Amino acid sequence: MFSSEGPRRKNIVCVVGTRPEAIKTAPIVRALREQPWARCRLVFTAQHRDLAGPIFDLFGIHPDVDLNVMRPGQSLPDLSNRLLVAVHETLQRERPDCVIAQGDTTTVLAAALASYMIGAPFAHVEAGLRTHRLDAPFPEEANRVAASHLASIHFAPTPDARDNLLREGIAPEAIHLTGNTGIDALHFAAERESPLGVGPRPGARFVLVTVHRRENLGEPLRRICEGVRRLHDRHPDLEFLWPVHPNPGVEPVVRGEFEGLGRVHLVRPLEYGPFVTAMKRAAVILSDSGGVQEEATELRTPVLVLREISEREEAVRSGVARLVGHDPDAIEREGSRCLADGPDPVRPALLGSATPFGDGRAAARIASILHRKLHVESEATVGV
Ligand code: UD1
Ligand code: UDP
């Protein structure tokens, strides 16, 4: 119908900075690169220089532009400043018909603001997640609220997220319920079955731990470590696999607490494939991550959420996730309860039930909605 080199192809720029954005945007880039009407460019800000790279290899997508912004121990103002200038300059050069970014990091806020500044439509993926508390998660709640009010297309992963957007006055026709592209990515990785390669003895029961949130740095992280230590001391057969985030506010604290303990395996962040294997095999997950709550729910691995409040209430309602904050008593009590329930306490009850975060086809939906909005409707408007 039209040439893949033809002038009517729409120029779509996906902006990605951190590990979760790489994972959740990869299925969209793959879907858009199959579309003859679209020219999809991937801009990597490298907010996460090390953590995101291997994900591009796994999904076979490679950035067209690398902005190389990461600095060790980057402060929010410095990171925000460098990101906004770099993304803005790039978008001016790329002249996109639409800019896409996923989630709530500083890269996403910069992409939304820079799109606004050059007058390009901004499409927000995973739109509408809210805790309704600007301090938790920090600064992500502020980033996603701002992104919603700068976006003209909103891809909401769940009905809860769509309802949040409607309550904030976003026009219903601008909101599209798609499911979460993280579930697409999870299926992609799970089908490839990567070996774990590090950590627990084969067959050992283990707890998988991840911590990185800024509001958990300092005293909360020390309390989380105390809870992990109590679980360790109470269950002499139990092992721990902790891929330690490279943030200088995380790594020295965790290594200082646990280095040398034989049953606690402190490892570098795992590549996504092995991490999915670890989530599948873990008896329990302890995590303050957003994406891990969704993935654990999909895999039916019980997850204790190291946060006081979650924007993924669907995970809590499903029974897979429990909020424990950074209270050592709650971590020990709820962790022990999950372990006492048996190797897979929640999984049998949930098998076969609908999963709240998506069906693995979110990226295809997004591509088809963009086709309609950017190609079909705009061609109709200009009478072509
Ligand atoms: C960032 C996001 C957070 C998201 C998380 C996903 C912001 C403010 N925070 O948090 O929303 O949930 O990513 O993981 O956008 N570092 C490395 N190599 C890397 C990545 C990080 O060394 O590949 C170290 C650097 O010292 C860096 C520090 O970690 O300065 C913090 O990185 P940053 O992106 O600012 O914050 P995160 O806590 O990773
Ligand atoms: N993840 C990974 N390796 C790890 C830890 C996490 O690949 O060692 C993946 C995880 O499966 C999820 C994503 O990283 O898809 C979550 O990233 P993170 O917790 O850093 O960010 P958040 O989701 O909280 O924004």
Side-chain angles (χ1 to χ4, degrees), residues 238-254:
L238 193 61
E239 301 200 22
F240 293 78
L241 175 60
W242 191 328
V244 185
H245 195 285
N247 190 324
V250 175
E251 193 173 10
V253 179
V254 174

Side-chain angles (χ1 to χ4, degrees), residues 286-304:
L286 305 186
S287 181
D288 64 3
S289 164
V292 170
Q293 293 175 58
E294 294 151 359
E295 293 162 338
T297 304
E298 177 74 5
L299 297 169
R300 280 81 159 162
T301 302
V303 56
L304 302 186

Side-chain angles (χ1 to χ4, degrees), residues 18-21 23-24 48 51 55 102-105 126 137 140 182 185-186 208-213 242-245 267-276 279 287-296 307 311-312:
T18 69
R19 169 172 64 194
E21 294 157 66
I23 292 168
K24 290 176 168 177
H48 280 179
L51 298 183
I55 296 157
Q102 174 281 330
D104 48 25
T105 66
E126 202 182 73
E140 291 82 2
L186 181 65
L208 176 65
V209 191
T210 79
V211 181
H212 74 85
R213 299 238 83 81
W242 191 328
V244 185
H245 195 285
V267 297
R268 292 151 67 90
L270 295 176
E271 291 194 12
Y272 184 53
F275 189 76
V276 169
M279 287 191 291
S287 181
D288 64 3
S289 164
V292 170
Q293 293 175 58
E294 294 151 359
E295 293 162 338
R307 298 164 59 170
E311 61 291 272
R312 275 105 172 159

Side-chain angles (χ1 to χ4, degrees), residues 130-138 144 211 213-217 219-221 223-224 287-290 293 303-313 316 321-328 330-331:
R130 298 289 185 268
T131 58
H132 308 286
R133 261 183 57 176
L134 281 175
D135 64 334
F138 172 88
R144 57 198 177 206
V211 181
R213 299 238 83 81
R214 278 176 193 246
E215 69 272 19
N216 272 342
L217 303 187
E219 190 50 28
L221 178 55
R223 286 164 56 77
I224 289 166
S287 181
D288 64 3
S289 164
Q293 293 175 58
V303 56
L304 302 186
V305 183
L306 304 167
R307 298 164 59 170
E308 289 168 351
I309 190 162
S310 173
E311 61 291 272
R312 275 105 172 159
E313 268 297 313
V316 178
R322 300 176 199 186
L323 293 175
V324 293
H326 40 81
D327 175 4
I331 294 170

